[in-house]
Amino acid sequence: MKTLTLFFYVIFFMFSCLFSCTQETSQEFASHENKKIFYFSRTIDPKTFDPQAQFDVSSGDFVSSIYDTLISYHYLKRPYELTPSLLESMPEKSKDGLTLTFKIRQGIHFHDNDCFLNGKGRELIADDVIYTIKRFADSRVNTLSWFLLDDLVEGLDEYREDLKKNKDTHYDKFSISGIKKISSHSLSIKLKRDNPLALYAFASSSLSIVPREAVEKYGRKFNTTPVGTGPFILKEFNKKQTAILIKNPNYFMTYPKEGSKKDAELGFLSDAGKKLPLLDEVHIDFIPEAQPAMLKFKQGEIFWIGLDRDNFTQMAYREKDGSIALKDSWSDKYSLYQEPGLSSVYLVLNLKDKTLGKNKDLRKALAYTIDFEDKINLLNNGRAQKLHSIVPQTIWGSEDEIGNYGYDFNLSKAKEYLAKAGYPEGKNLPPLTLTLQGSSSSHRDYFEYLRNAFSKIGVTLKPDYQTWSSFLKATERGDFQLASSAWQADYPDPENFFLLFYGPNKPPGQNSSSFSNKEYDSLYEQMRFMPNSPKRLEIITRMAKILQDEVPVIYDSSPVISGLTQKWVKNFKRNMMISKPFKFLDIDKNLKDKILAKSH
Amino acid sequence: MLTYVIRRLLYMIPTLVGVAFLTFILFTIFGEDPVRVALGNHASEQAIRDLSEMWGLNKPYWLQFYDFLIQILTFNYGESFSSGDRLSEIFARGALVSLSLTAPPFFVGIFLNITIAMLIAYYRGSIVDRLSTILFVISMSISYLVYIIVLQYVLAYQLNWFPIQGYKSGLASIEFLLLPWLIIVLVSMGPDIRIYRTVFLDQTKADYIRTARAKGVSEQRIMSVHLLKNAMIPILTNTIISIPFLIMGAFVMERYFSIPGIGDITITAINEGDFPIIKAMTMMSAVLFAFFNLLTDLLYAVVDPRIKLS
């Protein structure tokens, strides 16, 4: 009996402790009331805060909040547009288009840190930019994002080789012929060829400017001790638990003044010209699973969350006109956002394959067979846009500008082309194999959908589920028949998508279909480094027509990204090139208190 | 005894080499290529070569396996591919967190489940016994994940009794661990009480219990001294063999409550193709299981002097 009594005492103690602890949490939450704190969650924590060593989404999000790049993307403008960040103005181009002159803004300081004299942040100068580019070229530091400047700047590839051969970390020992310091705040970079796309590289978080002092002082620990010029300073980071970013009071940037009429109507310009950042702190919890993150969001402890398929079904619905809205029970509390993504999803047809390669009619038959609108509704909750060209609709040069160059679902045409191909009703056609880059339920659903679609014209489809790396290897070897693939824009330019069918990019390059067409290649070479113009659009249209005629690809869709923010979050406009726009966000504290008081 | 221990330790060597070989084959030859996972679809041949060289994956397979064996012998598994952190630091950090999650409910569970099983065995055949049998069979049939999802939703979200997820170092962690502890105890009740009840029932039919009763020994003493001591062997096996799980963490629990223990580290490593962590985890599990198996056998002799180790 004594033992039982003791047991109940233990249980009582545990519950007393529990309630005292829960109370403490509420008090803790309330103690931050005077500050504007944005609460957010991520599924995985950053691998490193070292700009040059990272190239994963999570690390990139932190790097872009702590550091700055020379150029960035305009927060509000669409289509996406580059804008100067650390620079006074966009780089000036020489007459031959080869030399870019970068003028750095005066008076930008790094965060205060022990690595500087007296711990006071030093002013950012041209030497820091040169040092950063040299560090970016060091293959021991950067193995992941070198492709951004590969074969672009005069002398930089040689410099990378010199460092590698000599195993040297003294970056000043070797020079880069194409990079010259002009003054304390300006430098010039000579490109190997006139290439307007080069500027996109300088907007990548991998080319965020780092101070030499911090790299040298912290050495290996620089990956956890970031020192930048950015809007936030890393105050605390507990691996797999939390990260806290605090406001950089000396940040130089102001909220953008330019935006569309709709932006003004939606209140995105109400803070125009205000000093950034508008938040005092950003608290990030690392929550690997979707359910606890969504529960925290519903409790008001997270301010912004992506909407997965299950939660979408539970919380949102599609209107008759196809638009998406939140159900009444949620619409008072949350705002729903949707933004077309910058990626294309498609099926690659391997032209080296005996069955598909020499039979254009068979490829056309397959293209007519799939009802992608139906597939989007069924498998993507309608959260995708059907593609009629390789370029997603958010990027200049898409079907919005050039028109429809895809194949719309038409079973009778599919059967007609199949007969023309020599396989009436699919007779004598050997089963086709679809290679997929995973074996999750979504991959299996996708395969089942296609198998069912193809069976309607008598074509048998078999799955070949691969792991991600095996899929990459298979497509690089050209060892597949049909492959389910996708391409995410590295920069918002149609060139980044048309390169997928450029002859010299054949496997192991990005042209997985092994498509080869002299006219297409020559048009690609013409448009590659051309600024956007009616002439460029004309070339793009012709390229899209060639792809439509030759069918090396069947266009599926471009995903639409959707999510929820709490009603009290201000200035939230989803920008696919600035994945975490914390510096522009603000909180309406009165509204927050009102909503939370009501819900409690 | 010493000869027995040495012999058992020697038996472990081929077992562990076998585990190492299988792990190596599974992850090196059939698993994801970590270089490609890290580089994605931008990878140039040069970048693939550079990273493979940096991670030692350009060496012939036999040499990579040899390096792996050396790592096992020296307990130096190197660094994580994805974060660059030393594995010894990662494990030291993660093991303590996992223990703080699993150890308290483990001990509470032992005490609670033995007590309840004894009570049920005492009231065998009664309505309490029948109801509890039905209840525990149902509870055993429900997936671990369902407990987590439902209790997290009801107790943490709807009733707001516990934080939904999170973790803080030191004593502050208790606040976040209470709900996971409660779930672990609840989940352990069904299977453990069923086993212990059967063990106790077997013992209650034994001659020595009848003799004790005939001698006038009180029921409380029979249950807590005579019966408990004789029921210890199966209980001990069940308990000790669970200890490696305490250190290796509760995989699903750690994921759902964002507890940065070994289980969470392992799942993340599998998702990211972080081979050094996977290798080290597999080998550590194997070593711990082998060690605790041996410990169980040794403890048999302590609990029951009739058992001789030879």
Side-chain angles (χ1 to χ4, degrees):
Chain A
M1 211 50 206
K2 271 182 190 171
T3 331
L4 269 177
T5 317
L6 181 68
F7 172 72
F8 284 116
Y9 274 124
V10 170
I11 296 290
F12 176 74
F13 170 74
M14 279 172 74
F15 272 87
S16 328
C17 178
L18 150 77
F19 287 111
S20 64
C21 292
T22 313
Q23 203 179 3
E24 195 181 293
T25 315
S26 315
Q27 283 164 359
E28 200 181 308
F29 202 69
S31 73
H32 292 308
E33 262 183 334
N34 294 328
K35 287 182 182 171
K36 283 185 178 177
I37 303 174
F38 191 89
Y39 293 89
F40 182 65
S41 77
R42 286 209 61 95
T43 49
I44 45 171
D45 52 353
K47 294 181 173 67
T48 172
F49 296 103
D50 181 342
Q52 281 76 58
Q54 57 82 32
F55 203 58
D56 61 289
V57 180
S58 185
S59 305
D61 288 346
F62 279 90
V63 165
S64 53
S65 294
I66 298 166
Y67 290 91
D68 280 303
T69 46
L70 295 174
I71 300 166
S72 61
Y73 289 89
H74 196 284
Y75 181 47
L76 299 174
K77 286 184 182 174
R78 303 289 184 280
Y80 295 104
E81 199 177 282
L82 289 174
T83 182
S85 179
L86 286 171
L87 299 182
E88 273 178 9
S89 55
M90 288 300 282
E92 287 167 22
K93 226 177 188 185
S94 63
K95 277 185 184 167
D96 60 4
L98 291 178
T99 307
L100 299 169
T101 305
F102 295 78
K103 284 183 187 158
I104 300 162
R105 290 185 202 222
Q106 304 274 342
I108 295 175
H109 286 77
F110 286 105
H111 303 154
D112 291 346
N113 190 280
D114 289 344
C115 67
F116 300 115
L117 193 66
N118 301 324
K120 198 88 190 131
R122 167 179 66 73
E123 188 175 2
L124 183 141
I125 51 173
D127 291 314
D128 295 309
V129 178
I130 297 172
Y131 175 77
T132 298
I133 297 174
K134 286 181 169 179
R135 192 166 183 268
F136 181 88
D138 186 346
S139 60
R140 283 153 303 181
V141 177
N142 173 16
T143 45
L144 303 175
S145 59
W146 168 243
F147 72 94
L148 290 167
L149 291 186
D150 190 12
D151 198 27
L152 197 77
V153 177
E154 200 179 275
L156 192 60
D157 298 76
E158 292 78 2
Y159 178 81
R160 184 173 167 92
E161 284 308 308
D162 283 341
L163 284 181
K164 203 186 286 178
K165 270 184 217 154
N166 292 281
K167 297 190 173 170
D168 212 310
T169 48
H170 297 289
Y171 296 148
D172 297 337
K173 207 167 168 181
F174 309 102
S175 59
I176 304 166
S177 57
I179 300 181
K180 289 197 168 60
K181 178 180 168 183
I182 299 169
S183 70
S184 66
H185 284 77
S186 64
L187 70 144
S188 69
I189 295 180
K190 193 172 181 192
L191 305 176
K192 286 185 173 177
R193 61 190 75 81
D194 182 10
N195 179 0
L197 303 179
L199 290 181
Y200 289 118
F202 295 100
S204 163
S205 62
S206 299
L207 273 158
S208 299
I209 308 305
V210 299
R212 177 195 288 258
E213 295 93 323
V215 176
E216 288 176 356
K217 178 178 169 72
Y218 297 114
R220 209 181 146 82
K221 288 191 173 166
F222 180 62
N223 66 355
T224 51
T225 323
V227 185
T229 55
F232 294 99
I233 299 164
L234 182 71
K235 183 189 168 198
E236 196 181 312
F237 173 57
N238 298 307
K239 247 182 186 305
K240 292 186 168 285
Q241 294 173 47
T242 51
I244 296 177
L245 298 168
I246 55 167
K247 178 184 192 161
N248 170 10
N250 305 316
Y251 193 56
F252 61 94
M253 209 178 255
T254 53
Y255 193 93
K257 291 176 183 166
E258 292 173 291
S260 67
K261 225 177 180 181
K262 199 179 167 196
D263 290 334
E265 281 168 20
L266 292 168
F268 293 146
L269 285 169
S270 58
D271 287 321
K274 279 191 186 166
K275 202 170 177 298
L276 296 176
L278 301 166
L279 299 168
D280 294 308
E281 292 183 10
V282 180
H283 289 206
I284 299 160
D285 282 340
F286 302 109
I287 308 178
E289 293 296 330
Q291 151 150 323
M294 182 49 87
L295 294 181
K296 284 194 92 167
F297 177 78
K298 286 178 180 172
Q299 277 193 338
E301 291 177 18
I302 290 176
F303 294 0
W304 165 24
I305 196 163
L307 207 47
D308 62 20
R309 207 169 125 178
D310 294 337
N311 283 309
F312 179 85
T313 315
Q314 192 202 339
M315 300 173 82
Y317 66 97
R318 296 193 79 203
E319 302 266 22
K320 281 179 187 164
D321 63 358
S323 63
I324 291 164
L326 272 180
K327 289 180 184 167
D328 288 346
S329 46
W330 308 107
S331 59
D332 287 349
K333 291 180 182 173
Y334 315 131
S335 304
L336 173 75
Y337 70 82
Q338 288 182 82
E339 183 74 15
L342 289 173
S343 60
S344 295
V345 178
Y346 49 86
L347 292 174
V348 184
L349 293 93
N350 187 357
L351 302 188
K352 274 175 145 184
D353 179 71
K354 280 182 207 161
T355 314
L356 291 173
K358 285 176 187 159
N359 200 333
K360 202 194 292 186
D361 289 327
L362 174 59
R363 302 200 294 271
K364 283 187 180 172
L366 299 180
Y368 273 123
T369 308
I370 310 161
D371 184 354
F372 282 111
E373 295 281 3
D374 179 58
K375 177 244 147 186
I376 289 167
N377 287 331
L378 194 68
L379 301 183
N380 307 100
N381 302 119
R383 291 183 298 162
Q385 288 178 292
K386 162 93 180 87
L387 275 180
H388 298 94
S389 112
I390 190 65
V391 183
Q393 288 89 337
T394 31
I395 295 176
W396 183 90
S398 73
E399 61 195 73
D400 290 351
E401 279 86 22
I402 65 170
N404 182 345
Y405 286 93
Y407 289 84
D408 287 322
F409 172 60
N410 190 327
L411 265 187
S412 56
K413 275 194 176 177
K415 286 175 184 168
E416 192 185 307
Y417 273 104
L418 193 63
K420 248 177 152 181
Y423 305 109
E425 293 172 5
K427 280 175 194 158
N428 301 323
L429 178 67
L432 299 177
T433 304
L434 174 70
T435 303
L436 297 111
Q437 47 189 280
S439 54
S440 67
S441 59
S442 61
H443 291 106
R444 288 175 189 275
D445 288 347
Y446 187 49
F447 167 75
E448 288 303 331
Y449 189 88
L450 295 185
R451 175 159 68 177
N452 183 38
F454 283 171
S455 70
K456 286 176 185 160
I457 58 164
V459 174
T460 308
L461 192 66
K462 284 181 171 177
D464 172 24
Y465 299 112
Q466 296 280 349
T467 60
W468 166 236
S469 54
S470 311
F471 176 84
L472 287 177
K473 284 176 186 170
T475 49
E476 282 172 9
R477 283 194 308 264
D479 184 15
F480 70 98
Q481 199 167 30
L482 277 159
S484 155
S485 198
W487 186 258
Q488 170 74 34
D490 300 308
Y491 39 86
D493 190 275
E495 180 275 340
N496 194 226
F497 287 85
F498 283 107
L499 65 81
L500 297 171
F501 305 98
Y502 178 50
N505 287 344
K506 272 199 272 191
Q510 301 97 326
N511 176 3
S512 311
S513 64
S514 298
F515 179 64
S516 181
N517 181 298
K518 277 186 185 166
E519 189 192 353
Y520 182 94
D521 292 351
S522 131
L523 290 168
Y524 173 79
E525 282 155 16
Q526 280 180 56
M527 64 78 74
R528 189 178 182 187
F529 301 128
M530 194 185 259
N532 291 346
S533 62
K535 175 74 185 154
R536 197 179 193 216
L537 204 61
E538 202 180 294
I539 296 173
I540 288 171
T541 309
R542 177 67 198 140
M543 291 167 81
K545 178 82 180 86
I546 294 172
L547 293 179
Q548 187 188 33
D549 291 342
E550 296 297 325
V551 210
V553 58
I554 299 173
Y555 307 125
D556 180 332
S557 56
S558 176
V560 172
I561 310 302
S562 54
L564 301 171
T565 59
Q566 303 284 358
K567 276 276 187 222
W568 57 75
V569 174
K570 286 171 68 188
N571 301 337
F572 186 90
K573 182 175 180 180
R574 191 75 171 97
N575 182 317
M576 302 311 293
M577 299 308 293
I578 306 173
S579 71
K580 298 294 170 285
F582 298 132
K583 68 180 167 190
F584 300 107
L585 302 183
D586 199 4
I587 291 168
D588 183 338
K589 289 180 69 180
N590 292 334
L591 185 62
K592 181 185 157 202
D593 293 344
K594 227 162 134 185
I595 293 175
L596 286 180
K598 209 173 151 187
S599 60
H600 288 143
Chain B
M1 175 98 158
L2 185 66
T3 326
Y4 176 78
V5 172
I6 292 170
R7 200 169 64 232
R8 284 289 300 269
L9 287 173
L10 287 174
Y11 283 161
M12 279 186 200
I13 295 171
T15 313
L16 293 178
V17 171
V19 172
F21 183 70
L22 278 176
T23 312
F24 184 80
I25 296 280
L26 280 174
F27 287 97
T28 309
I29 298 172
F30 300 111
E32 284 272 25
D33 178 348
V35 173
R36 301 313 309 271
V37 171
L39 293 175
N41 48 8
H42 282 299
S44 67
E45 282 177 45
Q46 184 59 45
I48 293 170
R49 268 202 302 276
D50 286 348
L51 198 57
S52 301
E53 191 183 333
M54 189 189 274
W55 287 349
L57 300 174
N58 57 344
K59 293 178 185 173
Y61 284 138
W62 69 266
L63 205 55
Q64 286 185 48
F65 184 62
Y66 172 76
D67 288 347
F68 181 31
L69 291 179
I70 297 295
Q71 286 176 339
I72 295 167
L73 281 175
T74 55
F75 287 99
N76 178 6
Y77 290 94
E79 292 162 359
S80 153
F81 281 167
S82 65
S83 66
D85 292 350
R86 294 202 64 75
L87 293 198
S88 48
E89 288 167 19
I90 293 176
F91 288 129
R93 211 167 44 217
L96 282 177
V97 174
S98 286
L99 273 175
S100 71
L101 168 69
T102 51
F106 174 74
F107 292 112
V108 171
I110 292 172
F111 169 74
L112 189 67
N113 296 341
I114 289 177
T115 311
I116 295 175
M118 273 172 70
L119 285 172
I120 292 171
Y122 182 73
Y123 292 109
R124 63 191 170 278
S126 69
I127 186 80
V128 176
D129 184 22
R130 282 180 210 161
L131 275 177
S132 64
T133 305
I134 295 168
L135 187 73
F136 291 129
V137 167
I138 293 172
S139 77
M140 281 163 70
S141 319
I142 299 171
S143 150
Y144 199 177
L145 191 60
V146 174
Y147 281 98
I148 294 174
I149 290 176
V150 172
L151 292 177
Q152 190 176 52
Y153 184 81
V154 176
L155 301 183
Y157 172 63
Q158 289 204 314
L159 299 174
N160 211 9
W161 286 1
F162 303 92
I164 290 171
Q165 57 74 237
Y167 188 81
K168 280 181 184 170
S169 309
L171 280 178
S173 65
I174 293 175
E175 174 192 358
F176 297 97
L177 290 171
L178 280 172
L179 181 56
W181 285 348
L182 184 68
I183 296 173
I184 294 174
V185 171
L186 279 178
V187 170
S188 74
M189 285 176 89
D192 285 1
I193 292 174
R194 294 283 304 143
I195 293 172
Y196 299 156
R197 176 188 168 275
T198 313
V199 172
F200 288 133
L201 282 181
D202 284 347
Q203 295 297 326
T204 50
K205 291 170 196 156
D207 293 345
Y208 70 89
I209 295 287
R210 196 175 56 233
T211 310
R213 282 196 180 120
K215 282 162 87 182
V217 180
S218 72
E219 275 301 309
Q220 196 177 349
R221 189 169 166 78
I222 290 173
M223 296 298 278
S224 58
V225 178
H226 297 259
L227 191 136
L228 188 60
K229 196 173 176 186
N230 283 284
M232 274 317 277
I233 289 181
I235 292 175
L236 208 63
T237 313
N238 190 47
T239 306
I240 294 179
I241 215 72
S242 312
I243 292 176
F245 287 111
L246 305 185
I247 300 160
M248 305 314 281
F251 289 73
V252 186
M253 190 69 83
E254 288 182 7
R255 294 287 289 183
Y256 270 80
F257 288 96
S258 315
I259 296 166
I262 295 274
D264 181 49
I265 291 168
T266 311
I267 293 183
T268 311
I270 292 168
N271 290 339
E272 293 177 350
D274 201 336
F275 192 38
I277 292 185
I278 300 168
K279 277 192 303 188
M281 283 301 302
T282 319
M283 288 317 299
M284 272 173 50
S285 314
V287 170
L288 286 172
F289 273 100
F291 173 76
F292 281 102
N293 244 322
L294 173 62
L295 191 67
T296 313
D297 288 349
L298 296 178
L299 283 175
Y300 283 162
V302 178
V303 176
D304 187 348
R306 290 171 301 179
I307 296 174
K308 283 186 181 159
L309 301 174
S310 58

